[in-house]
Amino acid sequence: MAPFTRISLSCLTALLLAGAAQAANQALPANPVLDTLSPQQHQAQLTQLRQQARQAVSFEQARRAPPVGRASVSLQPMFSAQAGSWPFEPFVNNGLFRAIAGYQAHHPQAVVLLGGSITLAQLEATLGDARILKRYKDGYLLSYPLMIGSDAGLQLEGTSLYLYSYSGTALINQGWLGLNQSTLESVAGDKAGNTDRAWRPFVVAWAGSHTQVIGSTLNRLGYNANLSRGLTTALSAQQAAGTRPATLLIEGSRFSELSTAVELQHSQATIANSQFERAQQYAVDARDSQLDLHGNQLRGIDNNSGVRLRGQTRALIEDNLILGAAKAAIEISDQRGAVLVAGNSIGASRGNGIQLRNLAPTPAAPLLIDDNLLASSQGSAVDASEVGALALVGNRIGNTPEYAVSLRNAAPLPGPLLISGNRLGQVGKAVVRVEGIRDVEIGGNRFDGKALLQNLLIGDLLPFQGQVLEATVAQGRMVRVRLTR
């Protein structure tokens, strides 16, 4: 990206004249109020905002040791609508049972672990049946579904577990699942599948469970069906609403070719220093969860966004590299909870860089986009609609055919929209478009615009673009624009 430069006074004069000419044909928003903030006031505001955002998204990640003692191992029938069958019920119609029927000649059975922990070597020795679990390559091949009971744990230490696709294999965790320096991946084999659509093994961890993936690799898991997209955490309709969240810890690991690498529901998750490659739907998809996503690389998402946040979700998305998403690098939709997006490098999105839809942040749950690099999206760098408040601080944004920042609300929302200390430019349309927000605070930004050919500010700010730019660019002040209509 070419360096940004502060707009010159000659360019500013041209822009003021151009803006005035265009504003003559615009309806001036009723009773606009423009005032300024002192540098001290603004700096205090920024400090408070950053502290509030950081505090609102912070949490202490729950960690849990594996259950003590040796787990018991049994084969139990899988029912779809009986007492105690709820861990299996969501998968009755998604292909799992049909895949199992092609391999097991009797009523579908699962390996069930209860009352302690077990390793793969111990599990293989206990089962003593190669049709269920056998040594394979550098580890073991599992051909039955495996359920970890709420008081049980499965430990993978320095090994590989291959999940046979043809036989309907899946890991269902109600207790404790840990991968340490291990690999988990599907194996298709040479037999045609027995399902009416593509089907691959998956991992689901129900509320109350703990899953950790440390220095490990997950390959070719999941397909595009409910709770089966890869590594999923969820609250079952058969579990009490007050069931403690599923907890997930991922560190220094690699996820490749999953449908959705990590799908979170009713969860608390920390995902750090890991790599996500060639996800089909999303790399990380979080709903009604707490999420700390930092230091990761997300590359190549085939159909949707790199990261999606929804529902009652609080999230810190920090110091990640997100490249090549089919939709947006980060998508936040219909979400109610604090979000801090800080220090990320975002590029080559085939949609928008950051996409925001139907959000109502509050001082207690702010939405802060701080110190990110957003470049080379095919849409706008930041595209927002029906967003009640937003802070864009200290970002470098450019090289997009649309807008650097676009916020459009169908009906006016209170705000504030804060655009401070950013470097904005190299865009195909106007640099900042604002429509339908009553309180806009802007200043300290550096623009790279094309005088006479391009407005820096359009929408509700166009009629007094000249006043705003004179105060913020020429005089270096912070301006608050209050639209009272």
Side-chain angles (χ1 to χ4, degrees):
M1 184 190 304
F4 291 94
T5 56
R6 183 179 294 276
I7 190 169
S8 68
L9 290 179
S10 60
C11 288
L12 175 60
T13 301
L15 281 164
L16 300 186
L17 293 172
Q22 294 187 45
N25 296 319
Q26 300 271 335
L28 183 69
N31 304 316
V33 177
L34 278 72
D35 54 22
T36 61
L37 299 175
S38 71
Q40 293 79 13
Q41 286 176 310
H42 180 54
Q43 190 56 50
Q45 179 189 43
L46 286 183
T47 298
Q48 182 181 24
L49 174 62
R50 283 174 165 143
Q51 288 175 345
Q52 285 177 332
R54 182 72 58 174
Q55 182 176 8
V57 300
S58 295
F59 62 90
E60 184 175 352
Q61 177 63 48
R63 297 171 183 258
R64 197 190 314 174
V68 298
R70 174 76 172 265
S72 66
V73 181
S74 62
L75 292 176
Q76 296 188 12
M78 299 173 66
F79 296 105
S80 60
Q82 294 190 16
S85 67
W86 65 263
F88 305 118
E89 287 178 8
F91 312 114
V92 173
N93 298 316
N94 74 353
L96 174 61
F97 278 48
R98 184 175 296 180
I100 294 171
Y103 184 79
Q104 298 186 26
H106 43 70
H107 183 90
Q109 292 181 325
V111 178
V112 177
L113 309 181
L114 296 172
S117 298
I118 199 167
T119 67
L120 288 180
Q122 292 168 337
L123 182 59
E124 190 259 348
T126 301
L127 287 167
D129 188 340
R131 280 184 53 82
I132 301 174
L133 181 67
K134 67 180 180 181
R135 292 188 179 275
Y136 180 80
K137 294 183 178 180
D138 57 342
Y140 299 85
L141 176 66
L142 178 66
S143 299
Y144 271 40
L146 186 149
M147 188 174 78
I148 304 167
S150 59
D151 59 354
L154 177 64
Q155 297 175 285
L156 278 65
E157 292 278 350
T159 189
S160 296
L161 178 58
Y162 299 92
L163 306 179
Y164 192 24
S165 294
Y166 173 78
S167 63
T169 310
L171 297 184
I172 300 171
N173 181 24
Q174 293 181 263
W176 191 97
L177 172 63
L179 282 72
N180 184 29
Q181 307 299 319
S182 295
T183 296
L184 182 67
E185 67 176 64
S186 68
V187 172
D190 56 3
K191 294 184 178 181
N194 193 38
T195 60
D196 56 1
R197 58 182 172 179
W199 189 94
R200 290 194 305 188
F202 57 89
V203 180
V204 62
W206 291 114
S209 69
H210 177 76
T211 304
Q212 58 186 51
V213 182
I214 311 297
S216 295
T217 299
L218 276 70
N219 288 327
R220 297 189 299 274
L221 298 176
Y223 62 106
N224 194 22
N226 184 41
L227 302 175
S228 307
R229 295 183 177 92
L231 172 54
T232 300
T233 62
L235 174 71
S236 168
Q238 303 300 316
Q239 292 181 289
T243 303
R244 66 180 176 179
T247 54
L248 174 65
L249 175 63
I250 298 172
E251 293 180 346
S253 294
R254 179 174 174 266
F255 292 69
S256 179
E257 298 182 56
L258 282 78
S259 179
T260 290
V262 178
E263 185 171 7
L264 304 171
Q265 301 174 28
H266 193 74
S267 307
Q268 183 200 71
T270 295
I271 304 172
N273 306 317
S274 296
Q275 297 182 29
F276 296 82
E277 301 169 350
R278 300 188 299 279
Q280 184 186 72
Q281 303 300 331
Y282 300 90
V284 178
D285 187 6
R287 186 178 73 197
D288 301 329
S289 296
Q290 293 177 305
L291 172 63
D292 180 343
L293 182 73
H294 69 267
N296 304 284
Q297 296 185 14
L298 288 63
R299 299 175 183 268
I301 295 88
D302 293 341
N303 296 329
N304 286 298
S305 299
V307 178
R308 179 169 69 164
L309 307 180
R310 296 175 293 160
Q312 298 291 332
T313 292
R314 291 192 290 135
L316 171 64
I317 303 175
E318 187 169 33
D319 295 335
N320 302 285
L321 174 67
I322 309 177
L323 298 176
K327 194 174 177 183
I330 299 172
E331 174 187 348
I332 309 175
S333 304
D334 301 297
Q335 184 268 349
R336 300 293 182 269
V339 177
L340 173 56
V341 179
N344 301 283
S345 296
I346 293 171
S349 299
R350 297 192 291 280
N352 301 306
I354 298 176
Q355 180 172 299
L356 311 172
R357 298 288 185 269
N358 189 26
L359 309 176
T362 66
L367 172 56
L368 172 59
I369 299 174
D370 188 5
D371 191 32
N372 301 279
L373 171 64
L374 294 91
S376 302
S377 61
Q378 293 183 18
S380 295
V382 178
D383 187 271
S385 64
E386 310 315 315
V387 174
L390 171 63
L392 293 157
V393 179
N395 301 284
R396 291 169 290 160
I397 300 175
N399 194 24
T400 171
E402 296 289 322
Y403 303 91
V405 179
S406 173
L407 187 151
R408 304 181 76 186
N409 297 327
L413 294 174
L417 168 63
L418 172 62
I419 304 176
S420 171
N422 303 283
R423 291 191 288 177
L424 309 165
Q426 297 184 37
V427 300
K429 297 182 178 178
V431 179
V432 176
R433 173 172 68 175
V434 177
E435 297 177 10
I437 198 159
R438 291 194 177 95
D439 190 341
V440 180
E441 299 177 21
I442 187 168
N445 301 292
R446 298 175 66 178
F447 295 100
D448 182 19
K450 302 172 184 177
L452 296 178
L453 300 177
Q454 182 179 48
N455 281 291
L456 298 185
L457 310 176
I458 66 166
D460 293 345
L461 296 179
L462 178 59
F464 34 92
Q465 174 179 230
Q467 296 166 269
V468 172
L469 293 176
E470 171 68 25
T472 61
V473 177
Q475 300 175 18
R477 292 186 290 166
M478 190 75 190
V479 171
R480 173 180 290 157
V481 183
R482 285 175 287 177
L483 306 173
T484 58
R485 67 174 177 182

